[in-house]
């Protein structure tokens, strides 16, 4: 593809992108592909000869698009959102065009300094104290791994990295029984052993019970273990529970534990000061992660990891072979030392485009609108005798089930709700997923797509009622 062909194809592509976003409601939200259907349409050996852009693009439209689940569809209510925006998409095109490796200051000075700037903007936007410093990671999972590695190194007085873990094999990490699976994964990767990840029980609203945490820590210490870290969830993945940070912070301070906050999804809500009650106690927190790639209109991947004292992170991760020695010395930031991978994409560019393109006031309004829609839906669910909410709705995730009179036992109710979700997903009109709360099958409606409006939520609620009552 020469540069003239690139120009022509690029224009055609942007036209397709704009049409796709304009017409996205015409697609079924969840892919209708059956397992193996896409693979069967692809040659099993690589092409020896070159293909034109048009040939590749035609195959993309015919084979790939029908096999996609449309995450940017306004009726995507599954999981948590991975929302995006036109400004973010355009910035990603530039990032790809520049194709820069942003590992060190010298390899891309502007990328490094734009990351410093956008992380500082984000810090102010969500109300973190001024001594937090940010770095963009690929995912919240990686950020949480960085936190647990830092906690491990600090607790072992920097010996674990040096000598391995032989003598440090009794370090314990705590998270609530509702915390994200990435915490347990990080404990495993950090070499602490899954058995040293202790799941703390939760209260009625699925937030961590601080008394249980204090008791667990005491019991572990009594049996010769070394508690090192607590991961508090602000917005658990199952039901968006908010762990009581202030009480947890207090316990961490008394026991000298690293406190990491996982606000992967809910962190975006902090842009509205009304929700800053969630971070009461933040002064005691060591590290904090939230994903602009979930609910802040910045496409995947862009995870913001904030640390109070970068020294621990740097001491844990930095390594300097001869071939990486570069300009700038101590006057510049080398983000390669702030994350696990060496190579780094220019991710701050899309964040910069998003924040500037909307402005903070508009971003705040968009998040507020999602929360309002969820609150209205929760109120409507509460008004129906044959539906019940299964968890509080502090933000924009609603957990509930259909419960018509006379349907017992429990497995029948679970099966009925499972059928309800599957029927809606098969219809293509909307996409929902589920979780289990106290053992019960719970439908999750997560509101947070960039273009979701009131009518989409109203249509969904009508569809749910109609489908459910027809099933019963
Ligand atoms: C989504 C989510 C994660 C994982 O995020 P990734 O960026 O995909 O690693 C972690 N914690 C919580 C609470 C989440 O909602």
């Amino acid at each position: 593809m020469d540069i003239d062909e690139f120009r022509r194809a690029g224009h055609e592509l942007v036209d397709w992108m704009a049409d796709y976003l304009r017409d996205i409601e015409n697609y079924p939200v969840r892919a209708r592909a059956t397992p193996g259907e896409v693979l069967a349409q692809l040659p099993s050996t690589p092409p020896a000869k070159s293909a034109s852009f048009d040939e590749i693009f035609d195959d993309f439209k015919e084979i790939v698009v029908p096999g996609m689940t449309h995450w940017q569809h306004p009726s995507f209510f599954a999981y948590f959102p991975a929302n995006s925006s036109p400004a973010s998409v355009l910035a990603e095109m530039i990032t790809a065009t520049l194709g820069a490796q942003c590992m060190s200051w010298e390899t891309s000075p502007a990328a490094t300094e734009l990351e410093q700037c956008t992380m500082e903007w984000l810090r102010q936007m969500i109300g973190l104290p001024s001594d937090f410093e940010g770095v963009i990671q690929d995912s919240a999972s990686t950020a949480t791994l960085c936190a647990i590695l830092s906690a491990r190194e600090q607790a072992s007085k920097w010996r674990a990295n040096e000598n391995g873990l032989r003598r440090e094999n009794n370090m314990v990490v705590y998270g609530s029984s509702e915390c994200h699976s990435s915490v347990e994964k990080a404990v495993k990767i950090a070499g602490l052993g899954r058995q040293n990840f202790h799941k703390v029980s939760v209260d009625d609203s699925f937030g961590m019970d601080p008394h249980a945490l204090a008791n667990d820590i005491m019991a572990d210490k009594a049996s010769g273990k070394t508690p090192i870290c607590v991961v508090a969830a602000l917005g658990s993945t199952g039901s968006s529970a908010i762990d009581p940070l202030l009480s947890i912070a207090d316990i961490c301070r008394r026991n000298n534990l690293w406190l990491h906050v996982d606000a992967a999804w809910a962190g975006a809500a902090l842009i509205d000061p009304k929700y800053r009650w969630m971070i009461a106690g933040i002064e005691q927190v060591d590290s904090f992660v939230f994903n602009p790639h979930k609910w802040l209109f910045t496409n995947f991947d862009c995870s913001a990891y904030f640390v109070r004292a970068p020294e621990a992170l740097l001491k844990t991760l930095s390594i300097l072979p001869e071939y990486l020695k570069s300009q700038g010395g101590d006057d510049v930031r080398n983000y390669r030392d702030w994350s696990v991978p060496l190579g780094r994409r220019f991710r701050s560019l899309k964040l910069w485009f998003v924040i500037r393109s909307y402005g903070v006031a508009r971003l705040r309004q968009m998040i507020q609108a999602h929360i309002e829609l969820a609150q209205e839906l929760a109120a409507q669910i509460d008004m129906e005798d044959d539906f019940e909410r299964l968890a509080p709705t502090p933000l924009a995730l609603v957990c509930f089930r259909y419960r018509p009179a006379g349907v017992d036992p429990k497995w029948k109710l679970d099966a009925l709700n499972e059928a309800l979700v599957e029927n809606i997903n098969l219809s293509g009109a909307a996409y929902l997923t589920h979780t289990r709360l106290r053992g019960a099958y719970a439908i999750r409606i997560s509101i947070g797509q960039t273009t979701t409006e009131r009518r989409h939520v109203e249509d969904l609620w009508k569809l749910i009622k109609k489908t459910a009552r027809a099933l019963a």
Side-chain angles (χ1 to χ4, degrees):
M1 193 182 294
D2 63 19
I3 207 69
D4 290 330
E5 172 68 356
F6 172 77
R7 188 185 308 278
R8 186 198 64 75
H11 283 286
E12 191 188 325
L13 186 59
V14 170
D15 278 337
W16 181 88
M17 289 158 68
D19 290 347
Y20 172 76
L21 292 174
R22 183 194 59 201
D23 301 334
I24 195 164
E25 290 187 51
N26 300 336
Y27 293 88
V29 191
R30 190 181 72 176
R32 294 212 163 112
T34 52
E37 189 179 322
V38 175
L39 190 58
Q41 298 174 74
L42 301 168
S44 55
T45 53
K49 283 196 293 197
S50 124
S52 70
F53 172 81
D54 292 341
E55 286 171 302
I56 305 169
F57 196 39
D58 284 346
D59 283 347
F60 162 76
K61 286 184 273 191
E62 258 170 57
I63 301 171
V64 178
V65 175
M68 292 304 294
T69 291
H70 299 282
W71 281 70
Q72 304 311 316
H73 195 297
S75 296
F76 183 101
F77 299 105
Y79 307 101
F80 278 140
N83 66 20
S84 174
S85 59
S88 176
V89 173
L90 293 177
E92 280 285 61
M93 291 173 77
I94 305 176
T95 292
T97 305
L98 295 174
Q101 265 294 348
C102 308
M103 51 198 180
S104 316
W105 179 85
E106 182 182 322
T107 65
S108 300
T112 299
E113 295 181 15
L114 195 61
E115 184 160 340
Q116 283 178 269
C117 165
T118 49
M119 286 296 97
E120 171 58 18
W121 285 3
L122 264 193
R123 183 196 66 72
Q124 294 174 28
M125 285 163 64
I126 62 172
L128 295 184
S130 59
D131 54 350
F132 273 97
E133 296 207 48
V135 52
I136 302 179
Q137 306 271 354
D138 55 2
S139 64
S141 303
T142 304
T144 294
L145 174 62
C146 288
I148 288 175
L149 290 173
S150 305
R152 183 193 78 184
E153 284 313 297
Q154 196 172 68
S156 75
K157 305 209 165 46
W158 321 101
R159 281 193 306 255
N161 264 351
E162 210 46 48
N163 308 324
L165 284 169
R166 266 167 313 168
R167 275 189 293 279
E168 324 286 349
N169 61 0
N170 60 357
M171 296 193 280
V172 183
V173 175
Y174 305 83
S176 88
S177 56
E178 292 287 316
C179 81
H180 191 265
S181 55
S182 57
V183 184
E184 185 168 325
K185 196 177 195 175
V187 171
K188 290 203 292 182
I189 299 170
L192 303 180
R194 197 160 64 84
Q195 295 192 346
N196 290 319
F197 174 55
H198 290 188
K199 290 188 180 172
V200 180
S201 52
V202 293
D203 63 17
D204 289 345
S205 55
F206 302 100
M208 184 189 282
D209 175 356
H211 301 291
L213 173 65
N215 287 338
D216 288 356
I217 291 172
M218 218 154 58
D220 286 336
K221 279 185 166 174
S223 67
K225 300 246 176 205
T226 309
I228 63 164
C229 176
V230 177
V231 179
L234 297 194
S236 67
T237 312
S239 74
S240 75
I242 314 291
D243 288 352
L245 195 58
L246 196 57
S247 316
I248 294 170
D250 211 44
I251 294 166
C252 287
R253 194 188 43 212
R254 283 204 308 266
N255 290 280
N256 198 19
L257 307 186
W258 187 284
L259 176 52
H260 174 61
V261 172
D262 176 6
W265 167 74
L270 295 169
I271 189 174
D272 183 346
K274 202 164 99 200
Y275 297 101
R276 303 252 170 96
W277 59 266
M278 296 193 291
I279 50 165
I282 191 73
E283 298 73 24
Q284 315 283 345
V285 167
D286 295 288
S287 54
F288 179 100
V289 63
F290 102 94
N291 285 347
H293 72 225
K294 268 188 170 149
W295 195 12
L296 206 64
F297 316 103
T298 307
N299 51 302
F300 192 84
D301 51 355
C302 182
S303 182
Y305 181 51
F306 289 94
V307 286
R308 159 151 289 117
E311 296 72 38
L313 179 65
L314 297 181
K315 231 169 142 179
T316 301
L317 297 182
S318 68
I319 194 155
L320 189 59
E322 192 57 34
Y323 52 79
L324 285 179
K325 289 187 179 153
S326 57
Q327 280 186 337
D330 293 339
D331 297 337
V332 300
R333 185 161 290 187
N334 290 307
Y335 279 119
R336 58 162 194 257
D337 295 331
W338 293 60
S339 47
V340 175
L342 167 64
R344 314 182 76 244
R345 289 172 7 85
F346 190 177
R347 296 192 189 91
S348 59
L349 191 70
K350 58 189 167 186
L351 199 51
W352 192 55
F353 269 53
V354 168
I355 298 172
R356 293 193 56 194
S357 161
Y358 286 107
V360 177
R362 178 75 189 126
L363 289 171
R364 189 179 297 138
Q365 274 172 10
M366 290 165 77
I367 299 276
Q368 282 167 343
H370 291 150
I371 297 176
E372 254 171 56
L373 290 175
Q375 299 301 320
E376 285 170 20
L377 177 65
Q380 280 174 325
I381 290 172
D382 291 346
M383 271 159 31
E384 301 288 337
D385 288 339
D386 51 350
F387 284 88
E388 67 177 353
R389 242 166 356 111
L390 293 176
T393 304
L395 299 167
L397 174 73
V398 186
C399 297
F400 70 103
R401 68 176 167 182
Y402 179 47
R403 190 182 192 174
V407 178
D408 268 333
K410 187 188 146 303
W411 68 266
K412 269 197 182 159
L413 208 51
D414 285 356
L416 179 60
N417 279 277
E418 207 174 327
L420 172 56
V421 167
E422 193 48 23
N423 269 278
I424 286 169
N425 292 344
L426 282 173
S427 80
Y431 182 21
L432 312 174
T433 50
H434 78 281
T435 188
R436 278 192 184 273
L437 294 171
R438 292 191 198 91
Y441 185 98
I443 303 176
R444 291 168 82 265
I445 294 181
S446 160
I447 298 175
Q449 270 316 314
T450 311
T451 53
T452 301
E453 295 170 18
R454 173 163 283 107
R455 70 184 165 93
H456 300 107
V457 183
E458 283 172 358
D459 288 350
L460 171 69
W461 181 223
K462 274 186 222 150
L463 180 65
I464 289 173
K465 283 188 292 188
K466 197 174 110 200
T467 312
R469 288 165 187 165
L471 276 171

